[in-house]
Amino acid sequence: MPSSETGPRVVAVPEAVGRSTLGGPLLRLGAGRCRGSRQSAAAPAASLAGAGSVSPVRRLYRNLYCPRDLAGPAELHPPKDVVQLAEDIAGRTGARITVAEDPAQAVTGVDFIHTDVWVSMGKAKDVWTERVKFLAPYQVNADLLRQARNPAVKFMHCLPAFHDPNTTVGREIMEHTGMTSGLEVTGEVFGSPASIVFDQAENRLHTIKAVIVATLGG
């Protein structure tokens, strides 16, 4: 069934993983107009995680009814074979695949903006320094939200987030990198009415409970 032009649009900016694989940023985060009525973006993001015996390719196919856009530096774009696989499936489902570098262009007109941490926890500080310098233009801040040109735009994050210096790790990284207002997202955006990160987290809780029931069932 072709995607509708009346549904929500979601855009993703970089997360911790560099080169994407099946289940990486290209697939876990997405953008586009989805079929059906307006809905929470937590569903497409969470459902791609998959569970049980569902293969990565089947998960990919299930979730390409909506156009998928990824904004990030060219060096972190998904491998060509992954993009080609996604495009092939999108051609059969009516979706669209776009990989871009310009965050402002990527967020224009979207309903949801989704990001994740830039570096996995436990990495050395020199890794943080390099990655933060590389991804600073993709920070989700008030200016990026304004560039969506949508007063109802919502912010999403997989959590935990480095949005303020109120945690030991967050404070150390911010002091080390000079990013005083937050890393991948500012505290202003994280705590704003546009943020639906805790609703998103609650949706994952129910998804996890469903997976437990399914795997423990007879």
Side-chain angles (χ1 to χ4, degrees):
M1 178 177 179
S3 59
S4 169
E5 289 299 311
T6 61
R9 288 190 63 202
V10 188
V11 68
V13 287
E15 67 161 14
V17 182
R19 285 288 180 177
S20 175
T21 58
L22 288 175
L26 175 67
L27 308 182
R28 291 185 57 236
L29 309 178
R33 296 195 178 277
C34 304
R35 63 180 183 179
S37 59
R38 296 181 69 86
Q39 55 187 298
S40 167
S47 62
L48 284 166
S53 60
V54 180
S55 71
V57 173
R58 288 186 61 193
R59 292 200 300 269
L60 172 61
Y61 190 91
R62 284 179 177 178
N63 290 277
L64 283 180
Y65 286 101
C66 303
R68 302 282 169 176
D69 295 356
L70 175 68
E75 293 86 342
L76 299 183
H77 284 178
K80 291 182 179 179
D81 58 334
V82 174
V83 176
Q84 184 60 57
L85 173 61
E87 289 176 342
D88 291 345
I89 296 172
R92 297 192 293 272
T93 63
R96 170 181 49 79
I97 303 298
T98 302
V99 181
E101 292 187 61
D102 183 2
Q105 178 184 0
V107 302
T108 301
V110 302
D111 298 298
F112 300 89
I113 297 176
H114 197 314
T115 192
D116 199 356
V117 294
W118 289 340
V119 178
S120 298
M121 295 182 183
K123 294 292 185 179
K125 288 185 177 180
D126 58 336
V127 176
W128 272 104
T129 301
E130 178 183 356
R131 184 56 67 93
V132 167
K133 182 179 180 181
F134 192 41
L135 296 179
Y138 297 90
Q139 181 190 61
V140 180
N141 49 41
D143 182 58
L144 190 67
L145 259 63
R146 282 192 292 271
Q147 292 184 71
R149 301 176 186 175
N150 177 1
V153 67
K154 299 299 181 183
F155 169 71
M156 302 179 69
H157 194 297
C158 294
L159 298 183
F162 291 121
H163 60 284
D164 61 34
N166 294 334
T167 63
T168 300
V169 176
R171 181 172 62 255
E172 290 179 353
I173 294 172
M174 290 180 197
E175 290 175 351
H176 186 73
T177 60
M179 298 281 287
T180 58
S181 63
L183 296 176
E184 73 278 3
V185 58
T186 62
E188 179 184 9
V189 169
F190 188 91
S192 72
S195 177
I196 57 171
V197 295
F198 296 113
D199 291 327
Q200 179 185 1
E202 181 184 3
N203 287 346
R204 287 200 300 276
L205 170 64
H206 302 310
T207 301
I208 292 168
K209 290 191 294 185
V211 171
I212 292 174
V213 171
T215 55
L216 294 181

